[in-house]
Amino acid sequence: FAAFNIWSHLFLGWPLYLLGLASTGKLDSNGKPLDGRIADHFRPESPMFSPKVRGKIMLSTLTQIAALAGIGYVMYEYGAVPVICWYWGPYNFVNAWLVLYTWLQHTDPSIPHYGEGEWTWVRGALS
């Protein structure tokens, strides 16, 4: 069970976070509670983003779709094994590293945790 738990956090944690299914916070871009709404990183109308950045989110999502289509094309042309070795292996390693050091930063007892009325950008940068 422990090995599965480590694997699921390190390799599935980042994609689940991006999809809005894990640890996306409790408030929307206006400071209102999400109340069951999913705050993902791909939909321009996601409660995570303010209306002024919707065009940028749409562009980002379209480029992600194009990249996945390119990966699919390369898999079709060259097979799954080279893509797994040269793309998905390093991709999963980087995702695992990103999740691991983020988890370590968020759980380190020496890093202060500020309450809702205490936190500022300066305090966050200096802590």
Side-chain angles (χ1 to χ4, degrees):
F1 177 75
F4 173 76
N5 206 6
I6 291 170
W7 178 84
S8 66
H9 278 81
L10 294 182
F11 294 102
L12 299 178
W14 181 243
L16 290 176
Y17 169 72
L18 291 176
L19 292 170
L21 302 174
S23 301
T24 55
K26 299 175 184 173
L27 303 175
D28 65 11
S29 64
N30 298 322
K32 297 177 184 170
L34 288 175
D35 292 330
R37 295 177 293 161
I38 294 177
D40 63 276
H41 290 74
F42 301 108
R43 292 178 301 126
E45 66 274 358
S46 174
M48 179 180 290
F49 306 116
S50 65
K52 69 180 181 179
V53 297
R54 286 188 175 155
K56 293 177 182 179
I57 302 305
M58 178 61 79
L59 180 63
S60 174
T61 301
L62 291 174
T63 57
Q64 290 293 313
I65 292 169
L68 288 173
I71 292 167
Y73 175 75
V74 171
M75 283 183 80
Y76 175 76
E77 285 292 317
Y78 298 101
V81 174
V83 174
I84 290 169
C85 291
W86 293 102
Y87 182 78
W88 290 113
Y91 177 82
N92 281 327
F93 178 80
V94 170
N95 281 347
W97 179 252
L98 179 66
V99 170
L100 178 64
Y101 77 70
T102 302
W103 177 79
L104 290 172
Q105 288 175 342
H106 286 239
T107 59
D108 186 347
S110 68
I111 297 177
H113 288 49
Y114 297 111
E116 190 174 325
E118 305 175 292
W119 189 87
T120 65
W121 286 103
V122 175
R123 277 190 177 165
L126 294 176
S127 60

